[in-house]
Amino acid sequence: MAPRSTDRRQAIAVEVTGAIGAVYATRTVVSVIERGVHVELIVSDYGRRLLRDELGEQASIDRFVPYLKEKYGAGVDAGTVTVHSNRDLGATIASGSHGCSGMAIVPCSMKTLAAVAHGLSRSLVERAADVMLKEQRRLVIVPRETPMSLPQLKNMVLCAEAGAMILPAMPAFYQLPKTLDDLADFMAGKILSALGFEHQLYPPWTGKTPSV
Ligand SMILES: Cc1cc2nc3c(=O)[nH]c(=O)nc-3n(C[C@H](O)[C@H](O)[C@H](O)COP(=O)(O)O)c2cc1C
């Protein structure tokens, strides 16, 4: 599934870590590749567990792309995916010379949030996020935890100050969601907007409210 070296299509990185909300990650990956974009995918050890725990063995990382195709349809063939080892600090996206234009960490654990906030770069998840910040490219962090401690809140501030967008996993309800997929569509839509893509993953707020 890796693009040829001459392939100059846009590339977006998606990082999946061990916080609740695997369906946010799958919907985001699919929505990006449906646009013919190449996805650089990094899944932490606990992210891998999350995929299996929440979506079943069929969504384990070695079967991830077939799983996406089965659940979301043939649109998945429009793009390509490279799955990186989180231990490979020599991967292409560990360098600022890689032309990855944006990254979403979805969902983002408090552990990874802390590591990004402090520039630790111990794993590829952490290093590739650090590269986005140093190259001043779009980094979208989708934290999931509740309630949050003061250190966790401060880590979000540090990331925002460093240039990341903090986009909490807080789906809206004005669109009257009926299914979990509707909630995932909303979050993926927010992430796509933040990465600069147009989409119709949720209806825009119309401004129509009862008279108050
Ligand atoms: C079932 C399960 C659910 C978890 N949910 C969350 C969560 O929602 N938010 C969070 O910050 N950590 C959560 N954790 C803890 C993280 O997975 C843990 O801190 C892990 O070390 C994160 O590592 P990673 O960021 O490298 O994936 C959860 C762990 C498990 C096993």
Side-chain angles (χ1 to χ4, degrees), residues 15 42 84-96 119-131:
E15 300 191 335
I42 317 165
H84 295 278
S85 162
N86 194 26
R87 290 170 180 74
D88 183 9
L89 287 164
T92 50
I93 53 171
S95 168
L120 298 186
S121 284
R122 295 166 303 186
S123 63
L124 188 58
V125 161
E126 296 174 7
R127 168 65 187 169
D130 209 24
V131 167

Side-chain angles (χ1 to χ4, degrees), residues 1 38-43 48 61-62 64-65 81-85:
M1 293 291 285
H38 179 66
V39 171
E40 306 279 1
L41 182 67
I42 317 165
V43 186
R48 288 171 188 237
I61 193 66
D62 49 323
F64 193 59
V65 175
V81 182
T82 298
V83 180
H84 295 278
S85 162

Side-chain angles (χ1 to χ4, degrees), residues 94-97 127-137 162:
S95 168
S97 63
R127 168 65 187 169
D130 209 24
V131 167
M132 289 291 126
L133 293 179
K134 84 181 178 73
E135 299 293 333
Q136 299 186 355
R137 298 184 194 148

Side-chain angles (χ1 to χ4, degrees), residues 132-134 136-141 156-166:
M132 289 291 126
L133 293 179
K134 84 181 178 73
Q136 299 186 355
R137 298 184 194 148
R138 174 59 93 194
L139 173 61
V140 182
I141 297 177
M156 287 197 288
V157 171
L158 283 174
C159 287
E161 286 175 343
M165 176 184 281
I166 302 295

Side-chain angles (χ1 to χ4, degrees), residues 16-20 44-47 49-50 53-54 86 108-113 126 144-145 152:
V16 183
T17 68
I20 287 167
S44 71
D45 287 351
Y46 272 84
R49 172 174 168 169
L50 171 86
D53 282 359
E54 292 190 1
N86 194 26
C108 183
S109 75
M110 296 300 99
K111 177 192 139 192
T112 291
L113 173 74
E126 296 174 7
R144 215 270 8 142
E145 188 51 279
Q152 292 164 347

Side-chain angles (χ1 to χ4, degrees), residues 24 141-144 148 156 165-171 187 190:
Y24 297 143
I141 297 177
V142 185
R144 215 270 8 142
M148 284 191 176
M156 287 197 288
M165 176 184 281
I166 302 295
L167 198 157
M170 293 180 182
M187 287 309 306
K190 283 285 176 183

